[in-house]
Amino acid sequence: MKPLISICIPNYNHGSLLKQTLDAVFNQDLTDVEVIISDNASTDASLDVINQFKHKTQLTLLQQPQTVSMSAHWNKVVQAAKGQWVIMLCADDLLLADSICRLKNIARSNQVQAIFFEYDFLINDIRTPKTAFYQDNVIIPGSAQSEIFLKSNNFPLTACMFQKQLLQDIGWFDQTKNFCTDWHAWLNMSAIAKQVAYVKAPLFLYRKHEENETNRCVQQLIALDEVIAMKDEFVEKYQLSNVNLIRGVILNSLKLANRYRDEMHNNGLLKEAAFYQEKISELENKLSQVTIDKPELPSGSAPYAPPAGSILLNA
């Protein structure tokens, strides 16, 4: 009998954190759940840690013979999944108690194709609360959520459980992406999904540290250009012309550019800060060309009201 859920864990050199991650996984109710961990030819003690769990009947280990790109690795592990639903669990993140049980109940009782859920931060092993994105647990029309994702993304890789078929329908994770691989997937999966769910309660801890992929891509000047190109591609693909939406897309890219510039400046990376300052000027010029009589103003701060057409979710 196939499992309902596959917890897929791509790992590369997270041996020092992996035991915490796996302990949290195997403390869940894993009825109808398989756990697949794929090691991307790590050079640390990751395999020694994984071998401590080899007696777990739910566990399958994949070993890549040589290191592949992040997105290629994600595809290898998700394509090996047997479950109808998939969670891509980063090897340094921690599932909170009963999170899998809650997700199983939502998947079984609602006609949704993806479930996005909240998280708290884990900074220097201290749990730090995060503000929820929406005001309630809700079921959202997929097209409405895709417009939110077109502007920005507040859900890292671990923060979504999706039907494997949905990812397959968009052509798997885009292996040309270095920074916004998960964001690109959420955007395009939402666009073709009939409905997606949102859970306001945090279900895992997202570990923030300097070695994560986001920080690397920002410092190497990959992040912003890739995000802008992804948005432009989506707008062209779906022939979007709503000026309020286009304006919101540019405004959120501008917000990112300002944040990255400030981060680089604060870290003494002046060349990188100057690069993002140039991008700010380009985006401000682009924004000035999008003129409307009555621009839609941002509706306050998080938690936001859910998009029109949403209904309450019993979660």
Side-chain angles (χ1 to χ4, degrees):
M1 184 175 175
K2 289 186 177 181
L4 177 67
I5 297 172
S6 297
I7 302 175
C8 296
I9 309 172
N11 173 70
Y12 179 68
N13 284 348
H14 278 307
S16 61
L17 303 171
L18 192 54
K19 186 177 186 302
Q20 283 182 280
T21 298
L22 292 175
D23 279 339
V25 168
F26 287 105
N27 282 332
Q28 305 286 323
D29 175 5
L30 295 180
T31 306
D32 295 330
V33 178
E34 67 170 351
V35 180
I36 306 174
I37 183 165
S38 177
D39 186 73
N40 199 12
S42 293
T43 58
D44 66 355
S46 289
L47 288 176
D48 292 337
V49 174
I50 296 167
N51 283 333
Q52 297 176 34
F53 296 84
K54 63 183 181 182
H55 62 286
K56 300 291 187 180
T57 58
Q58 302 94 341
L59 180 63
T60 298
L61 170 62
L62 306 177
Q63 291 181 253
Q64 305 306 323
Q66 59 187 22
T67 303
V68 297
S69 70
M70 179 187 73
S71 51
H73 191 211
W74 291 2
N75 280 332
K76 286 179 181 293
V77 64
V78 75
Q79 287 167 5
K82 299 182 180 68
Q84 177 187 357
W85 291 83
V86 172
I87 298 174
M88 296 290 293
L89 174 63
C90 291
D92 54 348
D93 290 342
L94 302 178
L95 293 176
L96 293 172
D98 297 323
S99 59
I100 296 300
C101 185
R102 295 186 69 172
L103 290 168
K104 281 193 285 189
N105 289 339
I106 296 170
R108 285 174 170 148
S109 57
N110 296 275
Q111 296 297 313
V112 296
Q113 291 77 51
I115 305 166
F116 295 94
F117 44 90
E118 284 298 346
Y119 53 95
D120 284 339
F121 295 113
L122 191 62
I123 305 173
N124 297 324
D125 288 324
I126 298 173
R127 181 173 177 175
T128 304
K130 170 191 172 294
T131 302
F133 190 76
Y134 289 130
Q135 296 169 356
D136 296 294
N137 300 315
V138 285
I139 295 175
I140 306 167
S143 59
Q145 182 59 41
S146 72
E147 291 189 1
I148 302 299
F149 280 134
L150 183 58
K151 296 176 183 178
S152 63
N153 176 34
N154 289 77
F155 299 93
L157 182 66
T158 301
C160 179
M161 186 172 84
F162 54 87
Q163 290 188 5
K164 180 180 177 180
Q165 185 63 50
L166 191 62
L167 183 66
Q168 184 174 351
D169 288 346
I170 67 163
W172 307 105
F173 289 112
D174 186 342
Q175 294 181 196
T176 68
K177 300 290 186 287
N178 294 292
F179 171 70
C180 60
T181 313
D182 48 356
W183 187 351
H184 177 270
W186 304 162
L187 172 62
N188 285 275
M189 286 197 296
S190 295
I192 65 171
K194 182 178 179 182
Q195 296 183 130
V196 302
Y198 166 78
V199 179
K200 186 178 179 182
L203 299 187
F204 78 103
L205 301 180
Y206 173 67
R207 194 183 297 270
K208 295 190 71 174
H209 50 87
E210 292 184 358
E211 296 179 0
N212 70 19
E213 193 69 9
T214 297
N215 288 334
R216 181 188 72 80
C217 289
V218 172
Q219 290 189 18
Q220 293 184 2
L221 311 181
I222 297 169
L224 187 63
D225 282 346
E226 190 171 292
V227 167
I228 293 171
M230 174 194 70
K231 293 179 177 184
D232 289 346
E233 174 188 287
F234 189 87
V235 168
E236 182 176 353
K237 178 179 179 181
Y238 288 95
Q239 295 294 294
L240 301 177
S241 58
N242 182 296
V243 288
N244 286 322
L245 177 61
I246 300 302
R247 184 177 177 84
V249 169
I250 300 171
L251 280 169
N252 278 273
S253 295
L254 188 58
K255 181 179 177 180
L256 269 185
N258 276 280
R259 191 178 89 196
Y260 295 160
R261 179 202 58 192
D262 292 347
E263 287 177 2
M264 296 301 97
H265 187 270
N266 291 340
N267 289 325
L269 300 172
L270 301 185
K271 180 180 178 181
E272 289 80 1
F275 171 86
Y276 287 115
Q277 182 59 53
E278 289 182 13
K279 293 296 179 182
I280 290 169
S281 298
E282 291 174 12
L283 288 164
E284 287 176 338
N285 181 60
K286 190 175 181 180
L287 185 64
S288 70
Q289 299 173 34
V290 182
T291 56
I292 49 179
D293 293 333
K294 295 181 179 179
E296 290 182 356
L297 300 176
S299 55
S301 57
Y304 301 101
S310 301
I311 60 174
L312 288 177
L313 166 70
N314 183 11

